[in-house]
Amino acid sequence: MGKYLFLGDEAIAQAAIDAGLSGVYAYPGTPSTEITEYIQTSPTAKTRGIHSRWSTNEKTALEAALGMAYAGKRALCCMKHVGLNVAADCFMNAAMSGTHGGLIILTADDPSMHSSQNEQDNRVMGNFAMIPMLEPSSQQEAYDMVYDGFELSERLGYPLLLRITTRMAHSRAGVETRPPKEQNPLSFPADGRQRFILLPGLARLRFKALLKAQEAFTHASETSPYNQYFDAPDKTLGIIATGIAFNYLAENYPEGFEHPVVKISQYPLPRRLIERLADTCAEILTLEEGYPVVEEQLKGFLGKGITVHGRLDGTLSRDGELTPDAVGKALGKEISAFYAVPEVVEQRPPALCAGCGHRDVYEALNEVIQTYEGAKVFSDIGCYALGALPPFRAIDSCIDMGASITMAKGAADAGAFPSVCVIGDSTFTHSGMTGLLDCVNEQSNVTILISDNETTAMTGGQDSAGTGRLEDICRGIGVEPEHLRVMTPLKKNYEEMKRIIREEIEYRGVSVLIPRRECIQTLKRKHPAKQ
Amino acid sequence: MKTDIILAGVGGQGILSIAAVIGEAALCEGLCMKQSEVHGMSQRGGDVQSNLRLSDRPIASDLIPLGGANLILSLEPMESLRYLPYLRPDGWVVTHSEPFVNIPNYPDMDRVNDELGKLPHKVTLDVERIAREAGSARAANIVLLGAATPFIGISYAQIEEGIRRIFHRKGENVVGLNLKALRAGMEAALPFPAKA
């Protein structure tokens, strides 16, 4: 116990350890990565034997977490927002089965897309699954929510969705920790088969149970310490602020609120608090980090013709993360900067590191590709997506984990030639292997480069699930050995690399090329003296 | 007290170590603190910034409002200008003077210096050179912190304590080098006009 300076991610990790966690399951993804990393390096977690190895993807992670919770223990499953799309099959159905041991599913959303390809708000997913959600407004609240959350999950019998955003994940503040709890003993649900076998007859009963449970979820929200009503004199406006938006609101009223405020950090919506606000105030302003989730719900919810302002009516921008200034403007405050950004300031986009193997892959690939008219290079999620930027401009797509292989297949099916794809080693094992099987089964005319840096580099160098076994995996899936070729991406090998790439493009079938050289960042960390 | 600081630089330069030292010093002093960081894609040589807020009262927002920063602390001159809308009219810019050129269209340094020259309260120093002279080329970020010590609102001795706590695991030698770098930065900034 004590007071520590924690990132939001670290506060969540420490809280889970203190709450008697038995296992964290996750695939790295900004801004969620540091939660699992913290548990991996925590001496307490080691002593307590807490599972913390990376999973192959978010779906395997969530299924394993559900299995651990089925066995009565407390499990945490962490992912970035788009990871929940990968885990959605399990996510939706874990809401049907419910849980036995406490299960917290963490989604780290990334509004403004600092490191992501979309800014989806996973409160929509939580509402879709109809499970309770938590959305902390401070690092301390994040700690407390997780510390108490496993018990709440066990009491309600359902998993909880804990939603944070980039600013919460990656902002540090002082956090008071609480006494550690014991882990749960191994135990199985008494009515396990009725709950966990979702055959239609049983699933129908489970859905009715989930619908009925909404009452208990709403009651939990209405009595939650995280949802609060703050009265204030000026009733011309009532304000609903969710999660971190509450901080930006408070920043604009350093001497106390002028309008009544409902702070929401637990869902489903606390109906009574909102009705009280609607009954007292002439109009309502909703402040939400992400999509207008509450704003949309309010329209149907109140049914009293009360005017609701927010992201839908343009009071706040429909996209992008909130800032104290955006909230201030929505409150009608005068917000102005004294200085402007001088014209001389240029954009400085991120780039592949000097000495990175992906650079050599793109150099060689570009030279070959230029000799084919209409060639397309489908790429994927990872550092190598930076190959989209100058000087390479080497790729034509970057959609979702694993999509490079399957998009190349579809384009080849349509007649595109050459249809090339570039995928990283970790992304390949995450979601590329199944697509490769599709290609092999149909002998699709694709050339697949698995640019192997033997790590999950973009998120900071976490273990990659297939390191050392990529050739075995590809052979096992059925890639012909003579079209499975490994090379070392270095300048001195360009001629050989170009020859191989050309030969395999010319081969009318599935080729897998594996340019392999360790990530320059993980290499530097292992040998700091070489810097 | 209340000090809002924007730390700026290029991914990989080490702005977060500066934040860590100030944070440790603030914690020793019993201050409230919030510090928002940048992780992920932008760390690959892109522009990075961190919002660091210190106060003797609870802090609401993790982000500094426009026109609210007392100090911009930057390891790169062009990057120090990127966040000017967040600077208070009476705020200070403390920046490394030498550019980090990793983009083809990096502006002419005379133009960057002209813009810095227009600011009423600034300290520009070649912190890399000062760090080398102080015996540790890797402590340029601590030299910069030293130059900014008059504007942070925490005593110099407390910042020294922050350095001891952050670097103690790396041994007395590293602590000593960083304390020396801190002092070199503080002294190099003395000729600049004191805070009004």
Side-chain angles (χ1 to χ4, degrees), chain A residues 112 118 131 168 180 188 194-195 198 216 268 282 295 325 378 384 395 490 493 506 523 527:
Chain A
S112 279
N118 77 26
I131 58 172
M168 173 57 56
F188 298 105
Q194 276 73 46
R195 290 172 50 193
L198 293 175
E295 191 180 347
D325 311 309
F378 299 93
Y384 46 93
I395 64 169
L490 283 169
N493 298 336
E506 288 300 325
L523 190 70
H527 307 285

Side-chain angles (χ1 to χ4, degrees), chain A residues 315-354:
Chain A
T315 304
L316 287 147
S317 166
R318 177 62 182 77
D319 64 331
E321 68 177 339
L322 294 179
T323 61
D325 311 309
V327 169
K329 272 183 202 152
L331 294 163
K333 302 217 167 205
E334 190 77 24
I335 305 290
S336 62
F338 182 77
Y339 296 101
V341 183
E343 261 178 43
V344 68
V345 176
E346 297 287 351
Q347 296 294 313
R348 196 191 299 258
L352 289 169
C353 306

Side-chain angles (χ1 to χ4, degrees), chain A residues 374-501:
Chain A
K376 293 293 167 203
V377 178
F378 299 93
S379 193
D380 228 300
I381 311 292
C383 287
Y384 46 93
L386 295 172
L389 306 175
F392 305 108
R393 299 187 194 278
I395 64 169
D396 295 287
S397 76
C398 165
I399 301 287
D400 70 84
M401 295 288 284
S404 58
I405 295 181
T406 23
M407 280 187 72
K409 179 189 185 297
D413 291 347
F417 174 80
S419 193
V420 178
C421 85
V422 178
I423 185 169
D425 49 306
S426 185
T427 306
F428 173 69
T429 46
H430 178 289
S431 286
M433 298 190 296
T434 44
L436 178 59
L437 184 58
D438 283 349
C439 294
V440 166
N441 286 345
E442 292 189 43
Q443 273 304 298
S444 308
N445 190 14
V446 292
T447 307
I448 297 165
L449 283 90
I450 305 177
S451 194
D452 181 9
N453 57 10
E454 304 182 306
T455 189
T456 312
M458 179 103 266
T459 45
Q462 294 75 24
D463 291 341
S464 175
T467 298
R469 287 176 294 141
L470 291 184
E471 290 94 311
D472 286 348
I473 291 169
C474 292
R475 271 194 296 269
I477 287 172
V479 177
E480 296 166 82
E482 58 273 32
H483 298 289
L484 176 60
R485 305 176 73 172
V486 180
M487 47 197 176
T488 306
L490 283 169
K491 220 173 209 83
K492 63 176 184 185
N493 298 336
Y494 276 6
E495 289 312 311
E496 185 202 357
M497 291 167 70
K498 284 179 345 193
R499 181 175 53 76
I500 295 175
I501 293 170

Side-chain angles (χ1 to χ4, degrees), chain A residues 348-388:
Chain A
R348 196 191 299 258
L352 289 169
C353 306
C356 168
H358 296 317
R359 282 183 172 266
D360 298 306
V361 171
Y362 283 131
E363 292 279 359
L365 179 62
N366 270 352
E367 283 199 36
V368 179
I369 283 292
Q370 275 159 15
T371 64
Y372 290 94
E373 201 176 324
K376 293 293 167 203
V377 178
F378 299 93
S379 193
D380 228 300
I381 311 292
C383 287
Y384 46 93
L386 295 172

Side-chain angles (χ1 to χ4, degrees), chain A residues 218 221-223 227 262-264 266-275 301:
Chain A
T218 303
S221 278
E222 282 173 345
T223 52
N227 294 335
V262 173
K263 168 187 176 292
I264 295 177
Q266 185 172 334
Y267 305 80
L269 285 181
R271 212 182 169 99
R272 279 185 310 187
L273 292 186
I274 288 177
E275 279 173 352
F301 190 97

Side-chain angles (χ1 to χ4, degrees), chain A residues 68-213:
Chain A
M68 179 169 266
Y70 174 87
K73 308 241 177 179
R74 293 180 171 176
L76 173 67
C77 182
C78 307
M79 59 197 77
K80 70 179 293 163
H81 57 345
V82 288
L84 192 55
N85 303 337
V86 178
D89 201 354
C90 181
F91 178 70
M92 294 301 294
N93 293 310
M96 296 283 283
S97 67
T99 187
H100 177 46
L103 175 57
I104 297 181
I105 302 163
L106 177 127
T107 171
D109 297 1
D110 189 19
S112 279
M113 297 170 265
H114 297 278
S115 302
S116 307
Q117 65 271 42
N118 77 26
E119 62 172 37
Q120 70 183 61
D121 183 334
N122 277 346
R123 290 178 302 162
V124 174
M125 294 291 278
N127 283 338
F128 192 20
M130 293 189 281
I131 58 172
M133 286 186 281
L134 299 163
E135 190 188 13
S137 67
S138 69
Q139 289 78 357
Q140 182 68 57
E141 214 169 57
Y143 179 92
D144 293 334
M145 281 175 171
V146 173
Y147 186 85
D148 296 325
F150 291 102
E151 265 147 32
L152 179 63
S153 166
E154 283 160 10
R155 184 162 58 77
L156 295 172
Y158 285 88
L160 309 180
L161 182 65
L162 175 64
R163 188 236 185 192
I164 59 171
T165 55
T166 308
R167 295 298 169 189
M168 173 57 56
H170 288 168
S171 178
R172 251 173 241 285
V175 174
E176 205 76 63
T177 63
R178 291 156 67 184
K181 301 180 203 175
E182 288 301 315
Q183 293 182 45
N184 284 353
L186 183 70
S187 76
F188 298 105
D191 53 350
R193 291 186 174 180
Q194 276 73 46
R195 290 172 50 193
F196 286 84
I197 301 177
L198 293 175
L199 286 171
L202 293 169
R204 285 180 203 116
L205 297 176
R206 286 309 299 165
F207 190 49
K208 283 190 192 298
L210 176 62
L211 292 172
K212 186 162 188 307

